[in-house]
Amino acid sequence: MKVLGIETSCDETAAAVVEDGTRILSNRIASQVEIHARYGGIVPEVASRQHILSIVPIIRQAMAEAEVTWDDIDGIAVTIGPGLAGSLLTGVNAAKAISLARGLPLTGVNHLEGHIYANWLVEGSLDFPLVCLIVSGGHTDLVLVRGHRDYTLLGQTRDDAAGESFDKASRLLGLGYPGGPAIERAAKSGTASIPLPRAWLKGTNDFSFSGVKTALLRLVENGSISSPANATALAAAAASFQEAVVDVLVTKTVAAAREHRVRQVLLAGGVAANKHLRQALIAASPLPVIVPEPILCTDNAAMIAACGYFQLRAGRTDGLDLDIVPNLRLS
Ligand code: KG4
Ligand code: ZN
């Protein structure tokens, strides 16, 4: 069964064709990063307008790359939330138009579930129950997955999301947007020599990253890190910040996996592209760790098509009244 996935929840216009929820036939992404970098962050109206310009070409590219025609497609999967309203509407309306024109079944996908299903695109089979750490720009969710659509939220962030904390730290250090890759790059030439606080929130599976960000702000304010003049101090700050965030993410994920006696640990979301996080989790986990390749961690449509396949297979289709849900949660 071949599913066309469409993703426009934030600042990537993406389309992909995936076979049987596991085999990627194409995966096209039109990034708006350069446009939003000028403003130091995402401008929602600019994002919506870019989606309008990119959506048809990117779908055409995904179809061409997969070497399929509309007759080969069995269903359409589209992100309905969480995300920016104007951005989501572009993808959902494109998906509805195709569904109507071609008489194809349509299914709306939760973007966070999509991130989890990026792991179905990794070679090898997944084994329930499992714990998945979703770390993106808007979410830090530790989720127990007992089966398809069987999610229990074990913990979440009480303030900044992990990706958001990377973005804010990068801005503080003058490293630019998007912050995650910028911090990772700067950290490569530094050592994590600056002691930064970790919020353990003992007895819970929750996270908090505002304290480490504030500690970094104090160091910048008191001149300890005079970015960008002192490259060594800057690299040490980036490495120390990255280490502080990764330390908490890994420790709490491994503890939850042990507590719930799961079979596997999964990583998902944009921050999962971070090499240090990937390596640290693999090193610390007594259980097999599955991590999608970086291009499948950040926003893409292959993960939406993969998730959509399992929904369509379970008979979960939506009508042309399908609506967006900008604050959709995992349930
Ligand atoms: O999943 P995603 O692409 O979009 C959302 O659903 O939010 O995640 C974007 C977030 C951004 O905050 C970005 O800074 C972060 O993921 N990110 C990274 C890396 N690549 C992207 N964070 C740390 N290290 C990276 N290599
Ligand atoms: Zn995402």
Side-chain angles (χ1 to χ4, degrees):
M1 183 178 186
K2 294 188 181 81
V3 175
L4 171 70
I6 297 174
E7 154 65 38
T8 62
S9 68
C10 196
D11 61 340
E12 325 274 10
T13 316
V17 179
V18 171
E19 188 163 21
D20 296 338
T22 53
R23 208 162 73 83
I24 299 175
L25 302 185
S26 65
N27 189 22
R28 303 295 300 195
I29 303 168
S31 173
Q32 304 176 8
V33 154
E34 279 174 24
I35 296 162
H36 297 288
R38 276 183 242 150
Y39 306 98
I42 295 161
V43 183
E45 186 174 336
V46 173
S48 312
R49 287 167 187 260
Q50 280 304 123
H51 285 309
I52 289 173
L53 296 176
S54 303
I55 189 76
V56 171
I58 214 78
I59 290 172
R60 287 213 169 114
Q61 285 173 26
M63 297 287 288
E65 188 185 310
E67 296 180 356
V68 292
T69 68
W70 289 115
D71 289 339
D72 301 313
I73 299 293
D74 303 295
I76 313 286
V78 63
T79 305
I80 57 165
L84 302 169
S87 291
L88 290 164
L89 279 170
T90 313
V92 168
N93 282 331
K96 283 187 192 180
I98 297 167
S99 169
L100 179 65
R102 300 296 312 183
L104 286 168
L106 173 70
T107 191
V109 172
N110 180 324
H111 180 81
L112 297 169
E113 278 187 72
H115 273 304
I116 297 175
Y117 277 81
N119 285 280
W120 265 259
L121 299 165
V122 179
E123 247 179 76
S125 60
L126 296 187
D127 217 358
F128 299 119
L130 52 88
V131 153
C132 182
L133 174 69
I134 310 174
V135 270
S136 68
H139 293 82
T140 304
D141 291 343
L142 196 51
V143 187
L144 173 64
V145 188
R146 291 198 186 85
H148 291 293
R149 299 231 79 214
D150 185 350
Y151 307 111
T152 306
L153 186 61
L154 301 174
Q156 59 191 326
T157 182
R158 294 188 182 174
D159 39 57
D160 295 345
E164 186 183 0
S165 78
F166 270 94
D167 293 334
K168 287 180 176 172
S170 179
R171 203 171 304 144
L172 280 176
L173 297 175
L175 292 171
Y177 169 87
I183 294 266
E184 180 167 20
R185 245 186 335 268
K188 265 191 200 142
S189 52
T191 48
S193 54
I194 305 168
L196 290 172
R198 275 91 162 135
W200 293 111
L201 305 179
K202 288 247 162 67
T204 78
N205 291 303
D206 284 347
F207 302 91
S208 165
F209 297 110
S210 63
V212 62
K213 177 196 66 194
T214 307
L216 196 66
L217 173 65
R218 296 280 170 269
L219 291 173
V220 173
E221 279 176 348
N222 72 21
S224 308
I225 309 161
S226 52
S227 71
N230 187 339
T232 311
L234 191 63
S240 304
F241 177 83
Q242 178 175 261
E243 175 63 34
V245 173
V246 166
D247 189 11
V248 176
L249 290 174
V250 167
T251 305
K252 300 203 82 153
T253 302
V254 170
R258 280 212 173 94
E259 184 188 339
H260 293 277
R261 298 167 184 276
V262 296
R263 294 211 172 96
Q264 289 174 332
V265 179
L266 269 49
L267 251 188
V271 184
N274 184 280
K275 217 177 195 176
H276 183 52
L277 172 61
R278 301 159 76 90
Q279 289 171 345
L281 184 61
I282 290 166
S285 172
L287 300 161
V289 177
I290 317 273
V291 193
E293 59 178 299
I295 194 72
L296 296 174
C297 292
T298 46
D299 289 349
N300 66 87
M303 68 185 195
I304 303 303
C307 187
Y309 162 79
F310 288 101
Q311 292 183 182
L312 290 168
R313 203 182 67 168
R316 285 186 52 217
T317 56
D318 290 292
L320 292 175
D321 58 349
L322 177 66
D323 200 0
I324 59 162
V325 190
N327 58 358
L328 188 62
R329 297 169 66 93
L330 206 59
S331 59

